[in-house]
Amino acid sequence: MKTPLILFSLLMISCLIPTAGSAQTANVYGKVMDKATNKPLYGVNVCLEDDPLGIGTITNENGEFRLWNLPGDTIHVLIRCDGYQTYVLKISSSSSPSQDVQEIYLEAETDQDEKQTSFRWFSTKKDNHK
């Protein structure tokens, strides 16, 4: 009685193995630089655009970032930094599973006065009025 169950289990596992490796993933490496000064930018937010999982990273002190095992055939990587224009990097994982982006140059925002910053004030003072 155990033999048919073991054979069935082995058959099911062998059917799943070929499909496990068929999903397209990509690896991305890049370096983010200031366009005006040609210096690396530290702490730049690099993430997948419209990703519910929140996959992302920040650049290191040399402006470098790496993202591994990104899902999908076409990937949009969003690169954001305060004071700079947002950059969207489009990557196709079907051409190569590993993409080495040489350098990405961010341009400074042209009009800082139009930039909106939102924040919330918190008060530790207790209001006695009800």
Side-chain angles (χ1 to χ4, degrees):
M1 187 69 175
K2 287 185 180 182
T3 304
L5 183 59
I6 292 173
L7 289 175
F8 180 73
S9 297
L10 289 174
L11 177 65
M12 293 303 292
I13 291 172
S14 66
C15 290
L16 293 175
I17 290 173
T19 59
S22 66
Q24 290 286 333
T25 62
N27 301 321
V28 179
Y29 164 79
K31 186 172 184 177
V32 182
M33 311 281 285
D34 181 297
K35 188 171 183 175
T37 64
N38 290 329
K39 291 186 178 181
L41 293 173
Y42 171 72
V44 176
N45 184 359
V46 181
C47 62
L48 293 185
E49 187 176 46
D50 299 328
D51 180 47
L53 300 176
I55 296 173
T57 188
I58 60 170
T59 58
N60 65 14
E61 59 275 353
N62 297 321
E64 300 167 332
F65 69 90
R66 295 179 194 272
L67 294 171
W68 290 279
N69 297 324
L70 302 177
D73 294 330
T74 302
I75 301 159
H76 294 129
V77 178
L78 191 64
I79 301 169
R80 290 186 293 210
C81 184
D82 285 343
Y84 292 90
Q85 295 177 8
T86 300
Y87 187 90
V88 178
L89 179 65
K90 185 177 178 182
I91 297 170
S92 175
S93 65
S94 60
S95 62
S96 173
S98 183
Q99 301 281 328
D100 288 338
V101 179
Q102 298 300 322
E103 292 176 346
I104 299 163
Y105 290 91
L106 295 185
E107 291 186 51
E109 288 183 342
T110 54
D111 191 357
Q112 290 291 327
D113 292 334
E114 291 183 11
K115 183 179 174 186
Q116 293 182 343
T117 305
S118 62
F119 57 91
R120 179 181 284 177
W121 286 97
F122 291 97
S123 176
T124 57
K125 186 177 179 182
K126 195 171 186 180
D127 189 7
N128 290 331
H129 301 286
K130 292 187 180 185

